[in-house]
DNA sequence: GCTAATAGAGAGCGGTGCTCTTGACGAAGG
DNA sequence: CCTTCGTCAAGAGCACCGCTCTCTATTAGC
């Protein structure tokens, strides 16, 4: 009875898995707007209406892919960080940067889904927020570790953040505990700088201009590391 | 004969203008994927097939909107820069940053079209590249002006760029003449940082985290100014 | 074994981009 | 002046989309 129930559940889970797999493949080749429930159903030998037994709408399928994407990126970032010596904070930051860029280049459409223009009419449900910060959590840990090890020497060039940002810093501190406001602010600069760089490359802003993208990326991330206060 | 020909051309130009106006309004409310030729035609009291006399495909209409968007953003940036004292280089940089952010917040869907995920299957034709660098050209002038005025003091924290980037720097130098490679590299860091920040805010990455976005933006752009070497 | 839940199939609605054909109109040339 | 030719709006139609509804067959649980 329990076994039989799980039997049905199992085939259902298997079908859901197959749907998302096919959908992810379609996403990778055609992009988000080219993802169609009917095409997925066709490839599964199903009639289109049957898909709705498993995903009540196209947006729900998209949500599943988004969550998968955040988790895949987060996992890649976690692995990259884990492969570094714990006290090599600059190395950990650079490893995270490279992991983000590599994953984005390998999965451009998924990256666009996560960090590109939001799909109109689509509101990210609450289930996405936890996977969405997996990569940021790794980054926050690096910043916090470096700070607590006394290896984060703020460059003298940055102004100190206005007092009003203290509230927001408090929220961000859940990812990088016990770090002062100015470090939080610089951490945001570096983090947005990383994704600005990756997005520019991936979304075509470097076309006809930058050819040595890996080298430029490496150099720019080193610059941001210095701005963040990481040692050389 | 010439007058009559221009008469026909005139009504044609007027219709094209009306189509793009309506399309831009639809784009602003529904976003790029919600832009439909049929809806535009409906609003014009035309039958959908008639639109194809003026825009051979949906992508061509999109291209027109993209060019308009680049020009609108470029114009906003040019005006913001022009309103500053020529030798207030930091002020000019900050004015450009604020102009980009303000325009993006006012036209989120157009910004997404320009700097968000590329529309799948859409390749930007060559006509878009000139308008696309209007804002960057303004930025390049600021950097070059500051450098030649001797007001660009490179912070000691940045590594110098690898020699291989010299080729790409040569291309970038068409926008900021006679500027050394290391300045070019830092200029790219700041520029991608600006758009990374705007994109994060606009694409929802700051949801549930950052509330004082204008203040954070201001502070971060000041940080990037210092990284760039601009005076306080 | 019977009942109730579940899954798939099919038809259908309104929408999309795009193509092709048809008929009307206006401008240019004999 | 009249004809010819290019332009344009219109309509029908194709293949696709998301999504809903109904009907039937299967299956699980009592």
């Amino acid at each position: 009875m329990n076994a039989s129930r799980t039997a049905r559940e199992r085939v259902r889970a298997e079908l859901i898995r197959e749907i998302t797999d096919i959908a992810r493949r379609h996403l990778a080749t055609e992009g988000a707007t080219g993802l169609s429930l009917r095409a997925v159903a066709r490839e599964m030998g199903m009639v289109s209406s049957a898909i709705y037994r498993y995903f009540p709408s196209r947006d729900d399928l998209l949500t599943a892919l988004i969550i998968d994407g955040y988790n895949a990126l987060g996992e890649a970032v976690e692995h990259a960080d884990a492969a570094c010596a714990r006290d090599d904070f600059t190395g950990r930051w650079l490893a995270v940067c490279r992991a983000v860029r590599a994953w984005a280049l390998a999965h451009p459409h998924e990256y666009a889904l996560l960090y590109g223009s939001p799909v109109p009419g689509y509101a990210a449900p609450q289930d996405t927020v936890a996977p969405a910060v997996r990569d940021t959590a790794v980054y926050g840990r690096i910043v916090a570790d470096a700070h607590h090890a006394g290896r984060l020497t703020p460059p003298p060039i940055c102004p100190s953040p206005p007092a009003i940002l203290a509230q927001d810093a408090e929220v961000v501190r859940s990812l990088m505990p016990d770090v002062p406001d100015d470090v939080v602010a610089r951490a945001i600069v570096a983090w947005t700088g990383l994704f600005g760089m990756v997005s520019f490359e991936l979304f075509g802003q470097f076309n006809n201009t930058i050819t040595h993208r890996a080298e430029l990326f490496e150099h720019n991330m080193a610059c941001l590391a210095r701005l963040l206060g990481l040692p050389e």
Side-chain angles (χ1 to χ4, degrees), chain A residues 115 119 161:
Chain A
Y115 289 99
V119 179

Side-chain angles (χ1 to χ4, degrees), chain A residues 64-132:
Chain A
L65 293 179
I66 287 175
I67 292 177
D68 284 1
Y70 276 127
N71 278 320
L73 173 59
E75 205 168 325
V77 167
E78 285 167 7
H79 275 95
D81 176 51
C84 296
R86 302 326 287 149
D87 60 348
D88 178 13
F89 306 108
T90 306
R92 289 168 69 188
W93 153 256
L94 290 175
V96 164
C97 292
R98 293 185 196 114
V100 169
R101 178 170 179 266
W103 189 87
L105 288 176
H107 310 87
H109 287 116
E110 290 187 69
Y111 176 85
L113 204 55
L114 306 184
Y115 289 99
S117 346
V119 179
Y122 172 81
Q126 209 59 23
D127 343 1
T128 62
V129 302

Side-chain angles (χ1 to χ4, degrees), chain A residues 148-229:
Chain A
H148 295 133
R151 300 299 303 281
L152 214 53
T153 55
I157 58 169
C158 263
S160 35
I164 197 170
L165 290 179
Q167 311 169 24
D168 293 341
E170 196 51 42
V171 179
V172 177
R173 255 189 289 271
S174 66
L175 293 175
M176 40 184 89
D178 304 320
V179 154
D181 287 1
D182 65 314
V183 172
V184 169
R186 269 194 306 275
I188 297 177
V189 178
W191 194 238
T192 55
L194 160 60
F195 283 91
M197 187 76 190
V198 171
S199 294
F200 254 45
E201 176 173 357
L202 220 69
F203 296 163
Q205 245 71 37
F206 284 159
N207 288 354
N208 312 320
T209 312
I210 308 293
T211 54
H212 299 91
R213 296 172 184 183
E215 291 85 354
L216 178 65
F217 180 78
E218 201 71 21
H219 174 261
N220 282 9
M221 293 307 108
C223 274
L224 289 178
R226 305 294 291 132
L227 178 68
L228 188 52

Side-chain angles (χ1 to χ4, degrees), chain A residues 11 19 33 41 102-103 122 133 143 166 206 209:
Chain A
V11 62
I19 292 174
T33 66
W103 189 87
Y122 172 81
V133 294
V143 174
F206 284 159
T209 312

